[in-house]
Coordinates of all heavy atoms in Angstrom, one line a residue:
R9 N 0.8 -1.2 0.0 CA 0.0 0.0 0.0 C 0.9 1.3 0.0 O 0.5 2.2 -0.6 CB -0.9 0.0 1.2 CG -1.9 1.0 1.3 CD -3.1 0.7 0.4 NE -4.0 1.9 0.5 CZ -4.9 2.1 -0.5 NH1 -5.1 1.4 -1.4 NH2 -5.7 3.2 -0.3
L10 N 2.0 1.2 0.7 CA 2.9 2.4 0.8 C 3.5 2.6 -0.6 O 3.7 3.8 -1.0 CB 4.0 2.2 1.8 CG 3.5 2.3 3.3 CD1 4.6 2.0 4.2 CD2 2.9 3.6 3.6
F11 N 3.9 1.6 -1.3 CA 4.5 1.7 -2.6 C 3.5 2.4 -3.6 O 3.9 3.3 -4.3 CB 5.0 0.4 -3.1 CG 5.6 0.5 -4.5 CD1 6.9 1.0 -4.6 CD2 4.9 0.0 -5.6 CE1 7.5 1.1 -5.9 CE2 5.5 0.2 -6.9 CZ 6.8 0.7 -7.0
F12 N 2.2 2.0 -3.5 CA 1.2 2.5 -4.4 C 1.1 4.0 -4.1 O 1.0 4.9 -5.0 CB -0.2 1.9 -4.2 CG -1.3 2.6 -4.8 CD1 -1.5 2.6 -6.2 CD2 -2.2 3.3 -4.1 CE1 -2.5 3.3 -6.8 CE2 -3.2 4.1 -4.7 CZ -3.3 4.0 -6.1
R13 N 1.0 4.4 -2.8 CA 0.9 5.8 -2.4 C 2.1 6.6 -2.9 O 1.9 7.7 -3.4 CB 0.7 5.9 -0.9 CG -0.6 5.4 -0.4 CD -0.8 5.5 1.1 NE -2.1 5.0 1.5 CZ -2.4 4.9 2.7 NH1 -1.6 5.3 3.7 NH2 -3.6 4.5 3.0
F14 N 3.3 6.1 -2.8 CA 4.5 6.8 -3.2 C 4.4 7.0 -4.7 O 4.7 8.0 -5.2 CB 5.8 6.0 -2.8 CG 7.0 6.6 -3.4 CD1 7.5 7.8 -2.9 CD2 7.6 6.0 -4.5 CE1 8.7 8.4 -3.4 CE2 8.7 6.6 -5.1 CZ 9.3 7.7 -4.5
T15 N 4.0 5.9 -5.4 CA 3.9 6.0 -6.9 C 2.9 7.0 -7.3 O 3.1 7.8 -8.2 CB 3.6 4.6 -7.5 OG1 4.6 3.6 -7.0 CG2 3.5 4.6 -9.0
M16 N 1.7 7.0 -6.6 CA 0.7 7.9 -7.0 C 1.1 9.4 -6.8 O 0.9 10.2 -7.6 CB -0.6 7.7 -6.2 CG -1.8 8.5 -6.5 SD -2.3 8.6 -8.3 CE -3.1 7.0 -8.4
D17 N 1.8 9.6 -5.6 CA 2.3 11.0 -5.4 C 3.3 11.4 -6.4 O 3.2 12.5 -6.9 CB 3.0 11.0 -4.0 CG 2.0 10.9 -2.8 OD1 0.8 11.2 -3.1 OD2 2.5 10.7 -1.7
S18 N 4.2 10.5 -6.8 CA 5.2 10.9 -7.9 C 4.5 11.1 -9.2 O 4.9 12.1 -9.9 CB 6.2 9.7 -8.0 OG 6.9 9.5 -6.8
I19 N 3.6 10.2 -9.6 CA 3.0 10.4 -10.9 C 2.1 11.7 -11.0 O 2.1 12.4 -12.0 CB 2.1 9.2 -11.2 CG1 3.0 7.9 -11.4 CG2 1.2 9.4 -12.4 CD1 3.9 8.0 -12.6
M20 N 1.5 12.0 -9.9 CA 0.6 13.2 -9.9 C 1.5 14.4 -10.1 O 1.1 15.4 -10.8 CB -0.2 13.3 -8.6 CG -1.3 12.3 -8.5 SD -2.5 12.4 -9.8 CE -3.2 14.0 -9.3
Q21 N 2.7 14.4 -9.4 CA 3.6 15.6 -9.5 C 4.2 15.7 -10.9 O 4.3 16.7 -11.5 CB 4.6 15.6 -8.4 CG 5.4 16.8 -8.3 CD 6.2 16.9 -7.1 OE1 6.2 16.0 -6.3 NE2 6.8 18.1 -6.8
I22 N 4.7 14.5 -11.4 CA 5.4 14.5 -12.7 C 4.5 14.8 -13.8 O 4.8 15.7 -14.7 CB 6.2 13.2 -12.9 CG1 7.3 13.0 -11.8 CG2 6.7 13.0 -14.3 CD1 7.9 11.6 -11.8
F23 N 3.4 14.1 -13.9 CA 2.5 14.2 -15.1 C 1.5 15.3 -15.0 O 1.2 15.9 -16.0 CB 1.7 12.9 -15.3 CG 2.6 11.8 -15.8 CD1 2.3 10.5 -15.4 CD2 3.7 12.0 -16.6 CE1 3.1 9.4 -15.9 CE2 4.5 10.9 -17.1 CZ 4.2 9.6 -16.7
F24 N 1.0 15.7 -13.8 CA 0.0 16.6 -13.7 C 0.4 17.9 -13.0 O -0.4 18.8 -12.9 CB -1.3 16.0 -13.0 CG -1.8 14.8 -13.7 CD1 -1.6 13.5 -13.2 CD2 -2.4 14.9 -15.0 CE1 -2.1 12.4 -13.8 CE2 -2.8 13.7 -15.6 CZ -2.7 12.5 -15.1
G25 N 1.6 17.9 -12.4 CA 2.0 19.1 -11.7 C 1.2 19.4 -10.4 O 1.2 20.5 -9.9
E26 N 0.6 18.3 -9.9 CA -0.2 18.5 -8.7 C 0.4 17.8 -7.5 O 0.8 16.6 -7.6 CB -1.6 17.9 -8.9 CG -2.6 18.1 -7.7 CD -4.0 17.7 -8.0 OE1 -4.4 17.9 -9.2 OE2 -4.6 17.1 -7.1
V27 N 0.7 18.5 -6.5 CA 1.4 17.9 -5.3 C 0.4 17.3 -4.4 O -0.6 17.9 -4.0 CB 2.2 19.0 -4.5 CG1 2.8 18.4 -3.3 CG2 3.2 19.7 -5.4
T28 N 0.5 16.0 -4.2 CA -0.4 15.3 -3.3 C 0.4 14.6 -2.2 O 1.7 14.4 -2.4 CB -1.2 14.2 -4.0 OG1 -0.3 13.3 -4.7 CG2 -2.1 14.8 -5.1
D29 N -0.2 14.3 -1.1 CA 0.5 13.6 0.0 C -0.3 12.4 0.5 O -0.7 12.4 1.6 CB 0.8 14.6 1.1 CG 1.6 14.0 2.2 OD1 2.4 13.0 2.0 OD2 1.5 14.5 3.4
T30 N -0.5 11.4 -0.4 CA -1.2 10.2 0.0 C -0.4 9.4 1.0 O -1.0 8.7 1.8 CB -1.6 9.4 -1.2 OG1 -0.5 9.0 -1.9 CG2 -2.6 10.1 -2.1
L31 N 0.9 9.6 1.0 CA 1.7 8.9 2.0 C 1.5 9.4 3.4 O 1.5 8.7 4.4 CB 3.3 9.1 1.6 CG 3.9 8.1 0.7 CD1 5.3 8.5 0.4 CD2 3.9 6.7 1.3
G32 N 1.1 10.7 3.5 CA 0.8 11.3 4.8 C -0.6 11.2 5.1 O -1.0 11.7 6.2
G33 N -1.4 10.5 4.3 CA -2.8 10.2 4.6 C -3.8 11.2 3.9 O -5.0 11.1 4.2
E34 N -3.3 12.1 3.1 CA -4.1 13.0 2.4 C -5.0 12.3 1.4 O -4.5 11.4 0.7 CB -3.3 14.1 1.7 CG -4.1 15.1 0.9 CD -3.1 16.1 0.2 OE1 -2.3 16.7 0.9 OE2 -3.2 16.2 -1.0
E35 N -6.3 12.6 1.3 CA -7.1 12.0 0.3 C -6.9 12.6 -1.1 O -6.5 13.8 -1.2 CB -8.6 12.2 0.6 CG -9.1 11.5 1.8 CD -9.1 10.0 1.6 OE1 -9.6 9.6 0.5 OE2 -8.7 9.3 2.5
C36 N -7.0 11.8 -2.2 CA -6.7 12.2 -3.5 C -7.8 11.6 -4.4 O -8.0 10.4 -4.4 CB -5.4 11.8 -4.0 SG -5.1 12.2 -5.7
V37 N -8.7 12.4 -5.0 CA -9.8 11.9 -5.8 C -9.3 11.1 -7.0 O -10.0 10.1 -7.4 CB -10.7 13.0 -6.3 CG1 -11.4 13.7 -5.2 CG2 -10.0 14.0 -7.2
Y38 N -8.1 11.3 -7.5 CA -7.6 10.6 -8.6 C -7.2 9.2 -8.2 O -7.5 8.2 -8.9 CB -6.4 11.3 -9.3 CG -6.7 12.6 -9.8 CD1 -6.2 13.8 -9.2 CD2 -7.6 12.7 -10.9 CE1 -6.6 15.0 -9.8 CE2 -7.9 13.9 -11.4 CZ -7.4 15.1 -10.8 OH -7.7 16.3 -11.4
S39 N -6.6 9.1 -7.0 CA -6.2 7.7 -6.5 C -7.4 6.9 -6.2 O -7.4 5.7 -6.4 CB -5.2 7.8 -5.4 OG -5.8 8.4 -4.2
D40 N -8.4 7.6 -5.6 CA -9.6 6.9 -5.3 C -10.3 6.3 -6.5 O -10.8 5.2 -6.6 CB -10.6 7.8 -4.5 CG -10.0 8.1 -3.1 OD1 -9.1 7.4 -2.6 OD2 -10.5 9.1 -2.5
A41 N -10.3 7.2 -7.6 CA -11.0 6.8 -8.8 C -10.1 5.6 -9.5 O -10.7 4.7 -10.0 CB -11.1 7.9 -9.8
F42 N -8.8 5.7 -9.4 CA -8.0 4.7 -9.9 C -8.2 3.3 -9.2 O -8.4 2.3 -9.8 CB -6.5 5.0 -9.8 CG -5.6 4.0 -10.4 CD1 -5.3 4.0 -11.7 CD2 -5.0 3.0 -9.6 CE1 -4.4 3.0 -12.3 CE2 -4.2 2.1 -10.1 CZ -3.9 2.1 -11.4
D43 N -8.3 3.4 -7.9 CA -8.6 2.2 -7.1 C -9.9 1.6 -7.5 O -10.0 0.4 -7.6 CB -8.6 2.5 -5.6 CG -7.2 2.6 -5.0 OD1 -6.2 2.2 -5.7 OD2 -7.1 3.1 -3.9
E44 N -10.9 2.4 -7.6 CA -12.2 1.9 -7.9 C -12.3 1.3 -9.3 O -12.9 0.3 -9.5 CB -13.3 3.0 -7.8 CG -14.7 2.6 -8.2 CD -15.3 1.6 -7.2 OE1 -14.8 1.4 -6.1 OE2 -16.3 0.9 -7.7
A45 N -11.6 2.0 -10.3 CA -11.6 1.5 -11.7 C -10.9 0.1 -11.7 O -11.3 -0.8 -12.4 CB -11.0 2.5 -12.6
H46 N -9.8 0.0 -11.1 CA -9.0 -1.2 -11.1 C -9.8 -2.3 -10.4 O -9.8 -3.4 -11.0 CB -7.6 -1.0 -10.4 CG -6.7 -2.2 -10.5 ND1 -6.6 -3.1 -9.4 CD2 -5.9 -2.6 -11.4 CE1 -5.8 -4.0 -9.8 NE2 -5.4 -3.8 -11.0
R47 N -10.4 -2.0 -9.3 CA -11.2 -3.1 -8.6 C -12.3 -3.5 -9.4 O -12.6 -4.8 -9.6 CB -11.7 -2.5 -7.3 CG -12.3 -3.5 -6.4 CD -12.7 -2.9 -5.0 NE -11.6 -2.3 -4.3 CZ -11.4 -0.9 -4.2 NH1 -12.4 -0.1 -4.6 NH2 -10.4 -0.4 -3.6
A48 N -13.1 -2.6 -10.1 CA -14.2 -3.0 -10.9 C -13.8 -3.7 -12.1 O -14.5 -4.7 -12.5 CB -15.0 -1.7 -11.3
M49 N -12.6 -3.4 -12.7 CA -12.2 -4.1 -13.9 C -11.8 -5.5 -13.6 O -12.2 -6.4 -14.3 CB -10.9 -3.4 -14.5 CG -10.4 -4.1 -15.7 SD -8.8 -3.5 -16.2 CE -7.7 -4.0 -15.0
I50 N -11.1 -5.7 -12.5 CA -10.8 -7.1 -12.1 C -12.0 -7.9 -11.8 O -12.1 -9.1 -12.2 CB -9.8 -7.1 -10.9 CG1 -8.5 -6.4 -11.3 CG2 -9.6 -8.5 -10.3 CD1 -7.7 -7.2 -12.4
E51 N -13.0 -7.3 -11.1 CA -14.2 -8.0 -10.7 C -15.1 -8.3 -11.9 O -15.9 -9.2 -11.9 CB -15.0 -7.3 -9.7 CG -14.3 -7.3 -8.3 CD -15.0 -6.4 -7.3 OE1 -16.0 -5.8 -7.6 OE2 -14.4 -6.2 -6.2
Y52 N -14.9 -7.6 -13.0 CA -15.7 -7.8 -14.3 C -15.0 -8.8 -15.1 O -15.6 -9.8 -15.6 CB -15.8 -6.5 -15.0 CG -16.4 -6.7 -16.4 CD1 -17.7 -7.2 -16.6 CD2 -15.6 -6.4 -17.6 CE1 -18.2 -7.4 -17.9 CE2 -16.2 -6.6 -18.8 CZ -17.4 -7.1 -19.0 OH -17.9 -7.3 -20.2
V53 N -13.7 -8.7 -15.3 CA -13.0 -9.4 -16.3 C -12.8 -10.9 -15.9 O -13.0 -11.8 -16.7 CB -11.6 -8.8 -16.6 CG1 -10.7 -9.8 -17.4 CG2 -11.7 -7.5 -17.4
R54 N -12.5 -11.2 -14.6 CA -12.3 -12.6 -14.2 C -13.5 -13.5 -14.5 O -13.4 -14.5 -15.2 CB -12.0 -12.6 -12.7 CG -10.6 -12.3 -12.5 CD -10.2 -12.4 -11.0 NE -8.8 -12.0 -10.8 CZ -8.3 -11.7 -9.6 NH1 -9.1 -11.7 -8.6 NH2 -7.1 -11.4 -9.5
P55 N -14.8 -13.2 -14.0 CA -15.8 -14.0 -14.3 C -16.4 -13.9 -15.7 O -17.0 -14.8 -16.3 CB -16.9 -13.7 -13.3 CG -16.6 -12.3 -12.9 CD -15.1 -12.1 -13.1
A56 N -16.1 -12.8 -16.4 CA -16.7 -12.6 -17.8 C -15.9 -13.1 -18.9 O -16.4 -13.2 -20.0 CB -16.9 -11.1 -18.0
T57 N -14.6 -13.5 -18.6 CA -13.7 -14.0 -19.7 C -14.3 -15.1 -20.5 O -14.3 -15.0 -21.8 CB -12.4 -14.3 -19.1 OG1 -11.8 -13.1 -18.5 CG2 -11.4 -14.8 -20.2
P58 N -14.9 -16.2 -20.0 CA -15.4 -17.2 -20.8 C -16.5 -16.7 -21.7 O -16.5 -17.0 -22.9 CB -15.9 -18.3 -19.8 CG -15.2 -18.0 -18.6 CD -14.9 -16.5 -18.5
A59 N -17.4 -15.9 -21.2 CA -18.5 -15.4 -22.0 C -18.0 -14.5 -23.1 O -18.5 -14.6 -24.2 CB -19.5 -14.7 -21.1
L60 N -17.1 -13.6 -22.8 CA -16.5 -12.7 -23.8 C -15.8 -13.4 -24.9 O -15.9 -13.1 -26.0 CB -15.6 -11.7 -23.1 CG -16.3 -10.7 -22.2 CD1 -15.3 -9.8 -21.5 CD2 -17.3 -9.9 -22.9
L61 N -15.1 -14.5 -24.5 CA -14.4 -15.3 -25.6 C -15.4 -16.0 -26.5 O -15.2 -16.0 -27.7 CB -13.5 -16.4 -24.9 CG -12.2 -15.8 -24.3 CD1 -11.5 -16.9 -23.6 CD2 -11.3 -15.2 -25.4
L62 N -16.5 -16.5 -26.0 CA -17.5 -17.1 -26.8 C -18.2 -16.0 -27.7 O -18.5 -16.2 -28.9 CB -18.6 -17.8 -26.0 CG -18.1 -19.1 -25.3 CD1 -19.3 -19.6 -24.4 CD2 -17.8 -20.1 -26.4
L63 N -18.5 -14.8 -27.1 CA -19.1 -13.7 -27.9 C -18.1 -13.3 -29.0 O -18.6 -12.8 -30.0 CB -19.4 -12.5 -27.0 CG -20.6 -12.8 -26.0 CD1 -20.7 -11.6 -25.1 CD2 -21.8 -13.1 -26.7
S64 N -16.9 -13.4 -28.9 CA -15.9 -13.0 -29.9 C -16.0 -13.8 -31.2 O -15.6 -13.4 -32.2 CB -14.5 -13.0 -29.4 OG -14.0 -14.3 -29.2
F65 N -16.6 -15.0 -31.0 CA -16.7 -15.9 -32.1 C -18.0 -15.8 -32.9 O -18.3 -16.4 -33.9 CB -16.6 -17.4 -31.7 CG -15.2 -17.7 -31.3 CD1 -14.9 -18.0 -30.0 CD2 -14.1 -17.7 -32.2 CE1 -13.6 -18.4 -29.6 CE2 -12.9 -18.0 -31.9 CZ -12.6 -18.3 -30.6
L66 N -18.9 -14.9 -32.5 CA -20.1 -14.6 -33.2 C -19.8 -14.0 -34.5 O -18.8 -13.3 -34.7 CB -21.0 -13.6 -32.4 CG -21.7 -14.2 -31.2 CD1 -22.5 -13.1 -30.5 CD2 -22.7 -15.3 -31.6
P67 N -20.6 -14.3 -35.6 CA -20.3 -13.7 -36.9 C -20.5 -12.2 -37.0 O -21.2 -11.6 -36.1 CB -21.3 -14.4 -37.8 CG -22.5 -14.8 -36.9 CD -21.8 -15.1 -35.5
W68 N -19.8 -11.6 -37.9 CA -20.0 -10.2 -38.1 C -21.4 -9.9 -38.5 O -22.1 -10.7 -39.1 CB -19.1 -9.8 -39.3 CG -19.1 -8.3 -39.6 CD1 -18.3 -7.4 -39.0 CD2 -19.9 -7.6 -40.5 NE1 -18.6 -6.1 -39.5 CE2 -19.6 -6.3 -40.4 CE3 -20.9 -8.0 -41.4 CZ2 -20.3 -5.3 -41.2 CZ3 -21.5 -7.1 -42.2 CH2 -21.2 -5.7 -42.0
P69 N -22.0 -8.8 -38.1 CA -21.5 -7.7 -37.4 C -21.6 -7.8 -35.8 O -21.4 -6.8 -35.2 CB -22.3 -6.6 -37.9 CG -23.7 -7.2 -38.1 CD -23.4 -8.6 -38.5
F70 N -22.1 -8.9 -35.3 CA -22.4 -9.0 -33.9 C -21.1 -9.3 -33.0 O -21.0 -8.9 -31.9 CB -23.4 -10.0 -33.6 CG -24.7 -9.8 -34.4 CD1 -25.0 -10.6 -35.5 CD2 -25.5 -8.7 -34.1 CE1 -26.1 -10.3 -36.2 CE2 -26.7 -8.5 -34.8 CZ -27.0 -9.3 -35.9
G71 N -20.3 -10.2 -33.5 CA -19.2 -10.7 -32.7 C -17.9 -9.8 -32.9 O -17.9 -8.7 -33.3
G72 N -16.8 -10.5 -32.5 CA -15.5 -9.8 -32.5 C -15.2 -9.1 -31.2 O -16.1 -8.9 -30.4
F73 N -14.0 -8.8 -31.0 CA -13.5 -8.1 -29.8 C -14.1 -6.7 -29.8 O -13.8 -5.9 -30.8 CB -12.0 -8.1 -29.7 CG -11.4 -9.5 -29.4 CD1 -10.8 -10.2 -30.4 CD2 -11.6 -10.1 -28.2 CE1 -10.3 -11.4 -30.2 CE2 -11.1 -11.3 -28.0 CZ -10.5 -12.0 -29.0
G74 N -14.8 -6.3 -28.9 CA -15.4 -4.9 -28.8 C -16.6 -4.7 -29.7 O -17.1 -3.6 -29.8
G75 N -17.1 -5.8 -30.2 CA -18.3 -5.7 -31.1 C -19.6 -5.5 -30.3 O -19.5 -5.3 -29.0
P76 N -20.7 -5.4 -30.9 CA -22.0 -5.1 -30.2 C -22.3 -6.1 -29.1 O -22.9 -5.7 -28.1 CB -23.0 -5.1 -31.4 CG -22.3 -4.9 -32.6 CD -20.9 -5.4 -32.4
A77 N -22.0 -7.3 -29.3 CA -22.3 -8.3 -28.3 C -21.5 -8.0 -27.0 O -22.0 -8.1 -25.9 CB -22.0 -9.7 -28.8
W78 N -20.2 -7.7 -27.2 CA -19.3 -7.3 -26.1 C -19.9 -6.1 -25.4 O -20.0 -6.0 -24.1 CB -17.9 -7.1 -26.5 CG -17.0 -8.2 -26.6 CD1 -17.4 -9.5 -27.0 CD2 -15.7 -8.3 -26.1 NE1 -16.3 -10.3 -26.9 CE2 -15.2 -9.6 -26.3 CE3 -14.8 -7.4 -25.6 CZ2 -14.0 -10.0 -26.0 CZ3 -13.5 -7.8 -25.3 CH2 -13.1 -9.1 -25.5
Q79 N -20.3 -5.1 -26.2 CA -20.8 -3.8 -25.6 C -22.0 -4.1 -24.8 O -22.2 -3.5 -23.7 CB -21.0 -2.8 -26.7 CG -19.7 -2.4 -27.3 CD -19.9 -1.4 -28.5 OE1 -21.0 -1.0 -28.8 NE2 -18.9 -1.2 -29.2
L80 N -22.9 -4.9 -25.3 CA -24.2 -5.2 -24.6 C -23.9 -6.0 -23.3 O -24.5 -5.7 -22.3 CB -25.1 -6.1 -25.5 CG -26.4 -6.5 -24.9 CD1 -27.2 -5.2 -24.6 CD2 -27.2 -7.4 -25.9
H81 N -23.0 -6.9 -23.4 CA -22.5 -7.6 -22.2 C -22.0 -6.7 -21.1 O -22.4 -6.8 -19.9 CB -21.5 -8.7 -22.5 CG -21.1 -9.6 -21.4 ND1 -20.2 -9.2 -20.4 CD2 -21.6 -10.8 -21.0 CE1 -20.1 -10.2 -19.6 NE2 -20.9 -11.2 -19.9
G82 N -21.2 -5.8 -21.5 CA -20.7 -4.8 -20.5 C -21.7 -3.9 -20.0 O -21.7 -3.5 -18.8
A83 N -22.6 -3.4 -20.9 CA -23.7 -2.5 -20.4 C -24.6 -3.2 -19.4 O -25.2 -2.5 -18.6 CB -24.5 -2.0 -21.6
M84 N -24.8 -4.5 -19.5 CA -25.6 -5.2 -18.6 C -25.0 -5.7 -17.3 O -25.6 -6.2 -16.4 CB -26.3 -6.4 -19.3 CG -27.2 -6.0 -20.5 SD -27.8 -7.4 -21.4 CE -28.8 -8.1 -20.1
N85 N -23.6 -5.4 -17.2 CA -22.9 -5.9 -16.1 C -22.6 -4.8 -15.1 O -22.1 -3.8 -15.5 CB -21.6 -6.6 -16.6 CG -20.8 -7.2 -15.4 OD1 -20.2 -6.5 -14.6 ND2 -20.9 -8.6 -15.4
R86 N -22.9 -5.0 -13.8 CA -22.8 -4.0 -12.8 C -21.3 -3.6 -12.6 O -21.0 -2.4 -12.5 CB -23.3 -4.6 -11.5 CG -23.1 -3.7 -10.3 CD -23.6 -4.4 -9.0 NE -23.1 -5.7 -8.8 CZ -21.9 -6.0 -8.1 NH1 -21.2 -5.0 -7.6 NH2 -21.5 -7.2 -8.0
D87 N -20.4 -4.5 -12.6 CA -19.0 -4.2 -12.4 C -18.4 -3.4 -13.6 O -17.6 -2.5 -13.4 CB -18.1 -5.4 -12.2 CG -18.5 -6.1 -10.9 OD1 -18.7 -5.4 -9.9 OD2 -18.6 -7.4 -10.8
C88 N -18.8 -3.7 -14.8 CA -18.4 -2.9 -16.0 C -18.9 -1.5 -15.9 O -18.2 -0.6 -16.2 CB -18.8 -3.7 -17.3 SG -18.1 -2.9 -18.7
R89 N -20.1 -1.4 -15.5 CA -20.6 0.0 -15.4 C -19.9 0.8 -14.3 O -19.6 2.0 -14.5 CB -22.2 -0.1 -15.1 CG -23.0 -0.5 -16.3 CD -24.5 -0.3 -16.1 NE -25.0 -0.9 -14.8 CZ -25.5 -2.1 -14.6 NH1 -25.6 -2.9 -15.7 NH2 -26.0 -2.5 -13.5
R90 N -19.5 0.1 -13.2 CA -18.8 0.7 -12.1 C -17.4 1.2 -12.7 O -16.9 2.3 -12.3 CB -18.5 -0.3 -11.0 CG -19.5 -0.2 -9.9 CD -19.1 -1.2 -8.7 NE -17.7 -1.2 -8.4 CZ -17.1 -2.3 -8.1 NH1 -17.6 -3.5 -8.1 NH2 -15.8 -2.3 -7.7
F91 N -16.8 0.4 -13.5 CA -15.5 0.7 -14.1 C -15.7 2.0 -14.9 O -14.9 3.0 -14.8 CB -15.0 -0.4 -15.0 CG -13.8 0.0 -15.8 CD1 -12.6 0.1 -15.3 CD2 -14.0 0.3 -17.2 CE1 -11.5 0.5 -16.0 CE2 -12.9 0.7 -17.9 CZ -11.6 0.8 -17.3
Y92 N -16.7 2.1 -15.8 CA -16.8 3.3 -16.7 C -17.2 4.5 -15.8 O -16.8 5.6 -16.2 CB -17.8 3.0 -17.8 CG -17.3 2.2 -18.9 CD1 -17.7 0.9 -19.2 CD2 -16.3 2.7 -19.7 CE1 -17.1 0.2 -20.2 CE2 -15.7 2.0 -20.7 CZ -16.1 0.7 -21.0 OH -15.5 0.0 -22.0
R93 N -17.9 4.4 -14.8 CA -18.2 5.5 -13.9 C -16.9 6.0 -13.2 O -16.7 7.2 -13.0 CB -19.2 5.1 -12.8 CG -20.6 5.2 -13.2 CD -21.6 5.2 -12.1 NE -21.4 4.1 -11.2 CZ -22.0 2.9 -11.4 NH1 -22.9 2.8 -12.3 NH2 -21.8 1.9 -10.5
A94 N -16.0 5.1 -12.9 CA -14.7 5.5 -12.2 C -13.8 6.2 -13.2 O -13.0 7.1 -12.8 CB -14.1 4.3 -11.6
V95 N -13.8 5.8 -14.4 CA -12.8 6.5 -15.4 C -13.5 7.6 -16.0 O -13.0 8.6 -16.4 CB -12.3 5.5 -16.5 CG1 -11.4 4.4 -15.9 CG2 -13.4 4.9 -17.3

């Protein structure tokens, strides 16, 4: 957890010019959003992988990676919606 906080503080200062102190316990909306997005992505991808692989084999125009079937699957999944809200 400390390594993540140090990394977040460094990245915020280098890339965005914003000084944060998450190591000292300061709250940062960006790190909270990153945590939520990462958690939601993992909770979506792990159980959804078999279904998404099957959906990728559907014929055009429904199938394929990122096709309408994938988009519908994501739109109907609570964890995928949580991911998009966080990013």
Side-chain angles (χ1 to χ4, degrees):
R9 186 80 183 161
L10 289 177
F11 181 73
F12 169 76
R13 289 179 180 177
F14 173 75
T15 303
M16 182 57 74
D17 288 345
S18 301
I19 293 299
M20 290 299 293
Q21 189 166 8
I22 292 168
F23 290 146
F24 303 110
E26 185 173 321
V27 178
T28 58
D29 185 24
T30 58
L31 273 172
E34 180 181 302
E35 290 292 319
C36 177
V37 294
Y38 299 112
S39 65
D40 294 341
F42 181 86
D43 281 345
E44 178 64 18
H46 185 261
R47 189 176 305 109
M49 180 190 68
I50 295 299
E51 290 174 5
Y52 170 65
V53 169
R54 283 184 181 161
T57 298
L60 293 175
L61 287 175
L62 288 174
L63 292 174
S64 70
F65 290 113
L66 286 175
W68 182 85
F70 305 107
F73 294 104
W78 271 42
Q79 293 174 10
L80 181 62
H81 186 275
M84 295 177 64
N85 186 283
R86 174 183 53 89
D87 294 319
C88 188
R89 290 192 308 266
R90 266 183 44 221
F91 170 77
Y92 282 112
R93 274 195 305 271
V95 294

